[in-house]
Every structure is written in C-alpha cells, then in structure tokens.
Amino acid sequence: MAERYIGLMSGTSLDGVDAVLVRFDEAGTLAVEADAFVPFADALRDAVLALQPVGGNELARAAMLANTLSRHYAEAVAAVLDRAGVPSSAVTAVGCHGQTVRHAPQDGYTLQIVNGALLAERCGIDVGCDFRSRDIAAGGQGAPLVPAFHHECFAHPSVARAIVNIGGIANLTRLTPGQTVTGFDSGPGNMLMDAWCRRHTGRPYDANGAWAASGSVDAALFARFAAEPYFAAPLPKSTGRDLFDLAWLDAHLAHHPHAAPADVQATLLELTATSIADAVRQHAPATRELYLCGGGALNGALVRRLATLLPEATVGDTALLGLPVHQVEAAAFAWLARRLVHRLSGNLPAVTGAAGNRVLGALYPR
C-alpha cells in the first residue's frame, strides 16, 4: 500500500533544514507532495562550526546542540505537513540526516548531531537517523549515500548519465548503462566559496556566482589548491569540512598574501568546477547527460563553467528529471527512511567500500 515519509536534510552549507513530504506508491515510485525550508540563525550555524575542531566541553555542547537542531527539525516537519495539509498520523516515518560535525571514516566513525528521541517526541512520528554508521561499521566510508537513490530515480536504460550534487561538498554518481553504479565526493562544492564570501562581503553566499565572475582566476593559487592530495586519492573516498575549511584555505593563501578577494573567489569557483569535471572525465567518461542538484546548481557562473569544461555532455539540473534541485537530498533521506522501515539495504558497497549491503539507520518509535 502507499506510504508517506518525510525527509530532512541539513548539509555542510549550514544554511538551514530542507524538508520534503514524499508519497511512495505500492511499487515504491515516489512523488513529492510538499517541501519546506527552515533557515539556521547565525548563532546556530556558529555553534555547529565551533564543534568541528577539537575543543573543550564537547560532550555537553554536542548534546545541547543536538536538542536545538532537533527542535529545528521538528519545526521543518510541522511546516511541510502544514503546507501539504496532511496530519502527522498519515506519515510512516521521518528520515533525518542530522548535522555532520565530524567525518572520520579512516578512524571508524562519523558523527551527525540529532536527538532522534526528542524529534520523535516532538513530531509524534517514528524517526530514522544515524544512517551512515552502519556502513562504516561494515568497513565503508559511510558516504556518499545518495548514489543509491540517484540510481533509483534518475538512471536511464540507454543513456549514460551522471548526477552531481553540489552542496557544501560536491558528490558525483555515475549512471552508465551496463556498468556498476559508482559515486564519491569529488571535493569542495559551495563550502569554501560560501565561507570566503561571508568573510569578505557579509553575505552567506555568492548569488549566481556574480562576485566570482567579477574576478579572475589566479593560476598560481589554483595550482596550489589543485595539488591537494585528496583529488588524486583512489576510490572509495569521501570528505567534508574536516579537510576543506577556512583553515585549509588560509594555509594556501598564506603563500599568496596579495591575492584580491574577488580573484580568490573566482579561483575557488574554478576549483569546484574543475574538480567536478576531472571526476567526470576520470570516473564517468561515457557521460552524455550531466544533471546538477543542490544549491550549487543555482550558481549560474559555476554551471556555465561546467558546461565549458564538459562540452561532450549536456548540462542541466534534476528538475528536468522530475525533482527540483532543492528537494533531491531531503527526498533521498525519505527514501532511506522507507528502506529502514522495510529492512531493505540502503548502501551501495561499490560506492562506499562497505563489505556488503546493509540496512542503514536507527529507528526511534514515536
């Protein structure tokens, strides 16, 4: 029978919570019935960032932050239900990604902050969360998890496609007919550009890439960025703010103290575009259709640069395939929640490197 799930996603861009209400028919085909967005205040964003490096009193700070975030998640659930005119009793479960504050698969853990019990209490709906830990327990990276969802929703039987989610980090999914689905984090998406824009303009992001377009790429600085070993690392691999943060950027800029801020922004955009294009050419060379999602899909300068770097592929966004760019990741966690409820695997071992297929997530009953 048909079921409804809510997916919640707050990513590395730290702008807020995306919520979608998804209806799955008996065959498992999904349709988004409503979406909502609850922004993060600067104080909440700063609290998340403060937990990224090692610091004092981490246990109490993390627990309190989990409670604060969970109240925001509950607000997003209420907003999307109100928008759809659907009661909470009509929803089977909520799938919540939580907020990543540490990602260290090499050390056997990843940490997404959320209080699943509090969220279930606030919403009156079963809650699934902690989707990444089981994959890591099985020897995987725990990320990215969205390629399985991309394959379910976007694969074509005869056309080689790639899906690139450009959030704080960019990740690529290869959907080439007759080949195993692969996916990985290609490197920074919006994260460094947003941080640099906030530092120098006070704005949370560079709307449409206009500030980057006003500058010029600094070739020497770009070469220093591009020499980061992560880009040449073999698959499987995943990354996050643990590597690509302002400290990483400042360490490189120390060698280029006179670089103009707009030129740095242009160079960061070039890094995102080039690392994505290189990932496509190396790992998905047959790609003829490239579909973008996430906030970076709305950066016109970045999209145009990708189209220039990948002339053999048609570059569009996932709205052309039925899911607007801001809905894709949240919908993926609604899909993962359904997989959890039905005890179906949610990972792709070829993507994460896990020892096998695993049911992902922990379920908190309402």
Side-chain angles (χ1 to χ4, degrees):
M1 55 188 296
E3 296 176 301
R4 287 186 173 96
Y5 291 81
I6 290 173
L8 301 175
M9 180 67 194
S10 59
T12 48
S13 291
L14 296 177
D15 53 350
V17 186
D18 284 304
V20 296
L21 176 66
V22 179
R23 184 180 185 274
F24 292 88
D25 66 18
E26 295 181 7
T29 303
L30 67 86
V32 173
E33 295 186 317
D35 64 44
F37 178 73
V38 174
F40 284 168
D42 286 347
L44 178 55
R45 175 184 174 276
D46 291 345
V48 173
L49 287 173
L51 266 182
Q52 197 72 45
V54 174
N57 199 27
E58 288 188 329
L59 290 177
R61 289 162 55 212
M64 293 170 66
L65 179 58
N67 289 345
T68 300
L69 286 165
S70 297
R71 289 189 284 270
H72 277 73
Y73 295 143
E75 183 181 342
V77 168
V80 78
L81 288 173
D82 181 68
R83 185 164 293 181
V86 170
S88 60
S89 59
V91 179
T92 300
V94 173
C96 181
H97 173 262
Q99 185 63 54
T100 300
V101 293
R102 302 278 173 86
H103 182 64
Q106 71 280 1
D107 295 324
Y109 77 93
T110 187
L111 184 58
Q112 285 73 46
I113 296 291
V114 60
N115 184 334
L118 178 60
L119 183 56
E121 186 71 24
R122 288 260 176 161
C123 298
I125 306 170
D126 289 359
V127 170
C129 54
D130 193 22
F131 288 100
R132 301 189 185 276
S133 292
R134 184 60 190 277
D135 185 87
I136 288 182
Q141 292 278 312
L145 295 182
V146 290
F149 175 73
H150 291 163
H151 178 255
E152 181 93 359
C153 291
F154 301 138
H156 191 280
S158 60
V159 179
R161 290 175 170 171
I163 311 297
V164 177
N165 175 67
I166 310 175
I169 293 295
N171 54 70
L172 166 73
T173 301
R174 182 187 74 186
L175 301 174
T176 301
Q179 297 184 16
T180 301
V181 177
T182 60
F184 59 96
D185 292 341
S186 58
N190 305 314
M191 183 182 296
L192 295 174
M193 290 187 288
D194 289 352
W196 188 249
C197 186
R198 185 180 291 270
R199 175 185 284 182
H200 283 274
T201 72
R203 300 189 301 269
Y205 62 93
D206 181 11
N208 209 33
W211 188 40
S214 73
S216 300
V217 173
D218 183 317
L221 182 59
F222 174 79
R224 183 172 291 277
F225 288 164
E228 164 58 47
Y230 179 82
F231 297 120
L235 306 186
K237 62 180 179 178
S238 59
T239 189
R241 197 178 293 277
D242 305 81
L243 173 60
F244 292 108
D245 60 1
L246 273 174
W248 181 92
L249 177 57
D250 287 339
H252 290 297
L253 289 175
H255 300 273
H256 299 267
H258 303 299
D263 291 347
V264 173
Q265 187 75 356
T267 307
L268 289 171
L269 185 146
E270 182 70 10
L271 178 68
T272 293
T274 300
S275 57
I276 291 170
D278 287 348
V280 172
R281 283 191 290 262
Q282 182 175 356
H283 297 283
T287 297
R288 292 298 171 265
E289 295 178 357
L290 180 69
Y291 294 96
L292 308 177
C293 57
L298 304 177
N299 184 324
L302 178 58
V303 174
R304 289 190 296 274
R305 185 59 180 146
L306 281 169
T308 299
L309 290 169
L310 295 167
E312 66 278 8
T314 300
V315 178
D317 66 53
T318 55
L320 298 170
L321 302 178
L323 275 182
V325 299
H326 65 285
Q327 293 181 352
V328 176
E329 278 207 297
F333 283 88
W335 181 82
L336 283 166
R338 181 176 181 272
R339 305 288 289 185
L340 170 60
V341 167
H342 291 278
R343 301 301 187 266
L344 301 170
S345 65
N347 64 335
L348 291 177
V351 171
T352 65
N357 296 107
R358 298 290 188 268
V359 178
L360 304 181
L363 190 63
Y364 291 80
R366 61 183 180 277

